[in-house]
């Protein structure tokens, strides 16, 4: 049966301000910073389409949508939502206040389908770092934002695990930025569940230098299917066993197998019961809104929503739990950092613990000023088709030039941990470097700075690039020894959409890397 809830029910709610206590991490657990009570996320993944015609897909900037959904969230009894796609601009005050007033915390993905690390040709450049920083600027002012995710299911097979190095670089650099701002919101990562690389992934994000680690670990887990499954038979028990003694919180950033429908959520008694509460900090059921993949709790249409069959089952299962935690005072952490996984195809792991350098616009802009032959295009194209053409052109130029000339300065290899000094520059900057190298090798003869009209000559402002590597961006220059010179929501089965933008931005990286290393 479907029951509509009038969205008018929350009118007036915004008037009663209730402060929400920030959460803090101690060891492998989250706590309410005021009461010291342990916090378990009773969460739901929340990404309804916005109700306005605005192009951005940011449900936290959609007051009407939040007004529609708050009564459902409160009725479900959730205390947290995970939001995949938001934007740094727009007004989030209304939604964030409604959520805070309802005691609901927010875990926020920093990436979007177009602003993300692409698993097929990974890179982490200053554009993406700047984008993540702007997200942090926008959302860190809300007390109920308790966690950021630097990626979602980026690596999803043994042969693309090199991408994990770039995600970890993003964690390192966003953590440094948050610290520099004097804040303490933790940055983590949400992995897919792929048994072949599960152990490698979970140890990789928990190994190495402590300021590079994920501050919490998210697992998207869909193993527990139907009433006949048990904690053991589902595979959950193995997963939990392998996180015992972890030194940071672990949380299910997605769960809720729907192979057997309607779902009755038998895993909930494990997640919030003695099976898991020592090791996991709760989870987020996938997902709030009904889509074609049939995981929804609420069928949303314009300003109204109606409950799906799963809705009451989830509510009932959640209400039957009362997770027993420890108090912050009485808890002494005993977890341990992990060893980094071995690197090599035979280990199904391709990411060295030597991370890509911290990207710096200043370095890349300085390098550009030293070039005599540059890309005519100065801004990344925005339409998908233009991006595709651009990516192909760039790939061809790399292919031609780097067969003859050493392009190591603009390439990198995650499996060896060797990165060129301009490897983090964006595609326009890197292809300019490549075309200029060719132009110089031809001693500037006519036609050697053309590349079918892609390139143009220019008078360099700097006679050489000798000081460029020392230039750091003020926003991301941290006190650590980052940047040494050897130096989402991505698409998943559940969260859709491809990322053409970063694909073309990084296609050059892969081509060059393949030729040089
Ligand atoms: C780098 O420059 C781009 C383009 O101006 C900007 O969007 C981005 O935020 C900058 N990144 C950093 C880390 O400052
Ligand atoms: C990576 O491995 C998957 C199977 O796990 C396979 O389907 C895919 O084609 C491989 N990709 C490449 C580029 O080898
Ligand atoms: C559990 O951890 C061991 C290493 O201690 C690893 O070999 C095994 O693959 C892991 N199991 C799972 C299910 O990840
Ligand atoms: C690089 O340029 C600077 C001036 O901009 C000059 O002092 C220096 O000698 C140059 N270095 C090389 C190696 O040409």
């Amino acid at each position: 049966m479907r029951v509509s809830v009038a969205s008018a029910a929350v009118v007036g709610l915004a008037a009663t301000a209730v402060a929400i206590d920030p959460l803090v991490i101690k060891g492998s657990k989250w706590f309410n910073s005021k009461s010291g009570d342990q916090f378990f996320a009773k969460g739901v993944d929340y990404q309804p389409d916005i109700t306005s015609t605005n192009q951005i897909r940011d449900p936290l900037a959609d007051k009407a949508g939040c007004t529609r959904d708050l009564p459902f969230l409160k009725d479900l009894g959730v205390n947290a939502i995970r939001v995949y796609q938001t934007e740094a601009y727009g007004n989030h005050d209304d939604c964030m206040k409604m959520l805070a007033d309802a005691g609901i915390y927010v875990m926020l993905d920093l990436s979007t389908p177009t602003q993300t690390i692409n698993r097929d040709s990974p890179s982490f450049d200053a554009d993406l770092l700047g984008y993540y920083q702007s997200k942090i600027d926008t959302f860190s002012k809300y007390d109920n934002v308790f966690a950021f995710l630097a990626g979602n299911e980026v690596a999803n097979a043994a042969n693309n695990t090199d991408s994990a190095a770039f995600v970890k670089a993003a964690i390192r650099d966003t953590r440094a930025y948050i610290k520099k701002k004097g804040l303490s919101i933790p940055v983590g990562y949400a992995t897919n569940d792929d048994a072949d690389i599960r152990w490698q992934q979970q140890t990789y994000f928990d190994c190495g230098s402590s300021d590079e680690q994920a501050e919490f670990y998210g697992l998207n887990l869909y193993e527990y299917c139907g009433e006949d499954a048990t904690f053991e038979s589902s595979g959950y028990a193995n997963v939990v066993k392998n996180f015992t003694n972890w030194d940071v919180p672990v949380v299910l950033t997605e769960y809720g197998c729907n192979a057997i429908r309607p779902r009755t959520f038998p895993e909930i008694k494990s997640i919030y019961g003695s099976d898991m509460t020592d090791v996991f900090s709760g989870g987020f059921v996938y997902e709030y809104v009904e889509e074609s993949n049939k995981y929804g709790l609420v069928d949303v249409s314009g300003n109204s929503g109606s409950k799906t069959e799963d809705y009451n089952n989830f509510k009932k299962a959640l209400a039957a739990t009362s997770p027993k935690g420890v108090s912050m005072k009485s808890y002494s952490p005993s977890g341990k950092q992990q060893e980094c996984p071995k690197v090599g195809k035979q280990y199904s792991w391709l990411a060295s613990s030597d991370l890509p350098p911290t990207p710096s616009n200043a370095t890349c802009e300085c390098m550009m000023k030293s070039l005599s032959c540059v890309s005519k295009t100065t801004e990344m194209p925005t339409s998908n088709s233009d991006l595709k053409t651009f990516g192909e052109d760039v790939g061809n130029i790399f292919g031609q030039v780097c067969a003859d000339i050493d392009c190591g300065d603009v390439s990198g290899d995650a499996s060896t941990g060797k990165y060129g000094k301009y490897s983090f520059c964006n595609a326009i900057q890197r292809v300019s470097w490549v075309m200029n190298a060719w132009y110089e090798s031809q001693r500037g003869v006519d036609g050697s700075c053309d590349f079918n009209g892609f390139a143009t000559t220019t008078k360099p402002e700097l006679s050489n690039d000798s000081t460029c590597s020392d230039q750091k961006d003020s926003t991301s220059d941290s006190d650590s020894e980052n940047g040494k010179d050897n130096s989402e929501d991505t698409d998943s089965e559940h969260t859709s959409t491809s990322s053409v933008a970063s694909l073309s931005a990084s296609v050059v990286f892969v081509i060059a890397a393949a030729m040089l290393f």
Side-chain angles (χ1 to χ4, degrees):
M1 187 179 60
R2 291 178 174 232
V3 184
S4 284
V5 172
S7 52
V10 283
V11 172
L13 190 78
T16 41
V18 182
I20 191 162
D21 301 332
L23 302 177
V24 288
I25 288 175
K26 179 180 178 187
S28 63
K29 301 176 194 303
W30 262 293
F31 295 93
N32 180 302
S33 59
K34 294 272 160 56
S35 70
D37 294 337
Q38 191 180 343
F39 175 81
F40 294 94
K42 291 183 166 181
V44 59
D45 293 315
Y46 181 76
Q47 192 71 45
D49 278 325
I50 56 165
T51 52
S52 76
T53 54
N54 197 325
Q55 281 200 327
I56 63 168
R57 198 181 166 205
D58 180 351
L60 296 181
D62 181 23
K63 186 179 179 184
C66 292
T67 305
R68 172 198 63 214
D69 295 333
L70 247 293
F72 289 115
L73 294 172
K74 289 171 71 172
D75 179 57
L76 284 167
V78 300
N79 64 6
I81 58 173
R82 173 186 174 192
V83 186
Y84 294 87
Q85 189 175 346
T86 56
E87 291 297 346
Y89 53 92
N91 184 349
H92 303 94
D93 291 350
D94 296 315
C95 285
M96 292 308 293
K97 183 165 162 24
M98 282 185 225
L99 290 162
D101 288 349
I104 296 174
Y105 293 90
V106 178
M107 177 181 284
L108 202 89
D109 285 70
L110 295 173
S111 61
T112 71
T114 52
Q115 303 279 346
T116 184
I117 292 159
N118 185 283
R119 67 170 70 99
D120 297 321
S121 49
S123 73
F124 182 56
D125 63 25
D127 290 355
L128 190 57
L129 176 57
Y131 180 78
Y132 283 9
Q133 288 173 342
S134 65
K135 275 281 181 68
I136 291 165
D137 290 343
T138 297
F139 285 99
S140 58
K141 60 174 171 280
Y142 302 110
D143 280 344
N144 53 334
V145 170
F146 81 111
F148 290 120
L149 288 164
N152 179 57
E153 301 196 356
V154 177
N156 68 355
N159 59 13
N160 59 33
T161 51
D162 56 333
S163 59
F166 298 89
V167 175
K168 213 170 159 183
I171 291 173
R172 173 198 63 202
D173 294 341
T174 47
R175 283 187 58 185
Y177 182 69
I178 288 168
K179 190 173 165 198
K180 197 172 167 133
K181 287 186 66 136
L183 300 166
S184 61
I185 303 172
V187 183
Y189 173 57
T191 49
N192 74 324
D193 179 44
D194 179 337
D196 297 348
I197 56 171
R198 185 192 286 148
W199 180 247
Q200 294 90 316
Q201 294 208 85
Q202 74 187 61
T203 52
Y204 185 69
F205 285 98
D206 195 52
C207 79
S209 165
S210 65
D211 53 6
E212 296 173 350
Q213 275 182 259
E215 289 172 289
F216 66 93
Y217 193 77
L219 184 63
N220 298 344
L221 192 64
Y222 288 86
E223 288 194 325
Y224 207 130
C225 303
E227 291 288 344
D228 292 342
T230 66
F231 181 57
E232 279 77 23
S233 74
S234 66
Y236 260 51
N238 273 334
V239 169
V240 173
K241 192 174 91 212
N242 266 20
F243 279 108
T244 314
N245 296 323
W246 228 246
D247 61 337
V248 296
V250 186
V251 63
L252 294 176
T253 33
E254 291 177 7
Y255 72 86
C257 173
N258 74 349
I260 297 164
R261 297 175 52 225
R263 297 187 287 175
T264 55
F265 304 98
E267 63 269 62
I268 284 181
K269 62 184 179 314
S270 285
I271 297 172
Y272 301 102
S274 56
D275 284 341
M276 288 175 68
T277 47
D278 281 349
V279 180
F280 273 69
S281 295
F284 295 79
V285 74
Y286 189 84
E287 65 172 330
Y288 178 78
V289 73
E290 180 77 326
E291 298 182 78
S292 55
N293 60 8
K294 301 285 178 203
Y295 282 91
L297 303 180
V298 176
D299 213 335
V300 160
S301 165
N303 281 330
S304 65
S306 51
K307 301 170 182 177
T308 67
E309 272 185 293
D310 288 356
Y311 183 101
N312 281 321
N313 293 343
F314 174 73
K315 178 182 167 183
K316 201 170 132 210
L318 199 62
T321 66
S322 53
K324 292 194 185 21
V326 294
S327 78
M328 185 154 69
K329 241 189 4 221
S330 68
Y331 165 62
S332 11
S334 58
K336 294 204 174 34
Q337 209 202 2
Q338 304 298 309
E339 295 212 356
C340 290
K342 291 202 179 85
V343 183
K345 276 208 179 103
Q346 68 274 36
Y347 305 114
S348 298
W349 192 252
L350 302 175
S352 162
S353 54
D354 286 334
L355 301 184
T358 298
S360 158
N361 272 332
T363 292
C364 301
E365 282 158 13
C366 173
M367 176 271 281
M368 287 295 283
K369 285 184 188 156
S370 73
L371 306 181
S372 315
C373 176
V374 295
S375 161
K376 249 184 212 165
T377 305
T378 55
E379 305 243 336
M380 287 296 287
T382 48
S383 83
N384 281 359
S385 62
D386 289 352
L387 270 169
K388 190 161 175 285
T389 313
F390 178 83
E392 284 163 8
D393 288 346
V394 165
N396 288 336
I397 293 166
F398 264 75
Q400 279 167 35
V401 173
C402 301
D404 291 331
I405 284 177
D406 180 356
C407 295
D409 279 357
V410 285
S411 350
D413 179 353
S415 68
T416 59
K418 294 221 184 324
Y419 297 91
K421 60 183 175 183
Y422 302 129
S423 60
F424 52 70
C425 296
N426 69 31
I428 290 170
Q429 292 159 337
R430 281 181 289 169
V431 74
S432 294
W433 186 97
V434 166
M435 295 187 300
N436 184 73
W438 177 256
Y439 184 59
E440 283 184 355
S441 76
Q442 302 302 304
R443 297 173 199 285
V445 300
D446 273 2
S448 60
C449 177
D450 183 55
F451 296 92
N452 291 326
F454 200 88
T456 181
T457 55
T458 181
K459 191 171 153 18
E461 281 177 49
L462 299 173
S463 63
N464 62 64
D465 67 350
S466 63
T467 59
C468 293
S469 289
D470 304 331
Q471 320 265 323
K472 300 272 177 272
D473 289 345
S474 57
T475 51
S476 46
D477 128 48
S478 69
D479 37 31
S480 68
E481 66 286 6
N482 299 337
K484 53 188 190 318
D485 258 1
N486 76 358
S487 73
E488 146 222 72
D489 116 342
T490 57
D491 50 337
S492 72
E493 67 206 282
H494 307 292
T495 51
S496 74
T497 53
S498 69
S499 47
V500 182
S502 63
L503 178 69
S504 60
S506 45
V507 65
V508 298
F509 198 90
V510 160
I511 290 163
M515 310 190 87
L516 291 162
F517 294 103

